[in-house]
Amino acid sequence: MNIPMVDLQGQYKRLKSEIDTEIQKVLNTSSYINGPAVQEFASDMEKYLDVKHVIPCANGTDALQVAMMGLGLKPGDEVITTSFTFIATAEVIALLGLTPVLVDVLEDTMNIDPEAIKKAITDKTKAIVPVHLFGQVANMDEIMAIAKAHNLFVIEDNAQAIGANYTFANGDTKKAGTIGNVGCTSFFPSKNLGAYGDGGAIFTNDDELAAQLKVIVNHGMTVRYYHDYVGVNSRLDSMQAAVLKVKLPHLDEFAKARNFAANYYNTAFADCEKITTPITASFTDHVYHQYTMKLHNVDRDALQQHLFDKGIANAVYYPVPLHLQKAYQDPRYTAGDFPVTEKLSAEVMSLPMHTEFTEEQLKYVTDAVLEFIKK
Ligand SMILES: *Cc1c(COP(=O)(O)O)cnc(C)c1O
């Protein structure tokens, strides 16, 4: 058997007639940039997320950069984020000349530690960037309370948890990415809501900020060829919007399929002391962008090879914490500074996760893992 990390082929085959029709519509109108498909998708997404503004852009990294530009963050401003994330989060902070301030994560959820955020705040802190890692939402009750107390912006990196629901302590619920001042997501093909190329979007309920973000993604242009701001060129193209428009109504069903696979894995590994299966915090549901387990006293490299030999894809997200990346070396940080992140980097391993599994395939994966672990 051959089990890829994501089964984009299988999902396309299932949705082929709908997707082909929408792509053909774009071809028929030849409206490739800012065409009707883009507006329709943005408006569908606003309804789905229950958020006032969805601003499509070229990718998730741009979404983060444009959000920070739109909030007026300036060189020297400190932005607090997690040391355990994909590089894009810190990359845009560095590119804008802002100062990334890294903090550790919680061992159970692997999401940013609110207590660590509190300790990292200085009079230069301007924003917090929680990353809803692997598909569950960080503790937004606490993060929003900290932000309020210190007058900070909250920029949610929601590239991995699109469609997840967050339940506040008072019982209210909101979609991930619509809780802070601004939310950012990616439509990279392997993300939960994936295009057939690059794509991204920014969400906000703030009218003024939305207007600013729309200007920034379009070269800082307010009136055609009049540029009031330095902007960027960051667009979602109509072909991608057509694909996303078809997939959006399936997003909740995708999350169910991912949960089915995760539950299968969890059950299979329940009695295995060498594996800690993912934990979902009480205030969030999990959309399993990744199924990331922790290994104890297991030779991870050898397990990875064992699975590769059986045609089973697997990966380590992420093997090197941000503060130990070569490009991000910083005299403020050294090995040992973020012990939970460093421990997780050594322990985690992600198994194939997508929307198209059969039970037979899941059994093949779990049997192969257990065969190695129990040896
Ligand atoms: C994928 C991802 C991004 C970047 O998205 P792109 O569309 O690839 O630019 C940012 N943050 C996180 C956490 C991601 O997983």
Side-chain angles (χ1 to χ4, degrees), residues 59-61 64 85-86 88-89 131 157 159-160 186 188 191 199 318:
N59 56 67
T61 309
L64 288 161
T85 177
F86 179 58
T89 324
V131 179
D157 182 342
Q160 300 192 1
S186 162
F188 186 79
K191 299 280 155 99
Y318 297 93

Side-chain angles (χ1 to χ4, degrees), residues 322-340:
L322 291 191
H323 67 293
L324 302 179
Q325 293 285 357
K326 201 167 157 194
Y328 291 82
Q329 273 173 18
D330 186 316
R332 292 173 301 158
Y333 302 121
T334 183
D337 282 353
F338 304 108
V340 181

Side-chain angles (χ1 to χ4, degrees), residues 50-157:
D50 192 21
V51 71
K52 276 170 92 175
H53 307 279
V54 166
I55 296 111
C57 64
N59 56 67
T61 309
D62 277 7
L64 288 161
Q65 180 177 334
V66 169
M68 288 177 202
M69 290 170 76
L71 290 168
L73 301 185
K74 297 271 175 329
D77 289 349
E78 293 180 359
V79 178
I80 298 175
T81 194
T82 149
S83 47
F84 193 53
T85 177
F86 179 58
I87 201 69
T89 324
E91 190 173 51
V92 297
I93 298 173
L95 279 173
L96 292 173
L98 315 175
T99 306
V101 173
L102 302 177
V103 300
D104 215 343
V105 293
L106 296 165
E107 187 155 0
D108 54 356
T109 61
M110 307 187 237
N111 270 326
I112 195 163
D113 178 354
E115 289 305 315
I117 296 176
K118 283 185 201 163
K119 288 187 195 130
I121 292 173
T122 72
D123 52 12
K124 291 199 182 115
T125 309
K126 288 285 152 47
I128 308 169
V129 186
V131 179
H132 304 318
L133 200 68
F134 301 142
Q136 72 173 312
V137 187
N139 188 332
M140 293 306 286
D141 282 276
E142 292 205 27
I143 292 167
M144 294 309 288
I146 296 167
K148 198 171 170 205
H150 297 271
N151 200 21
L152 308 175
F153 296 121
V154 174
I155 303 163
E156 297 176 74
D157 182 342

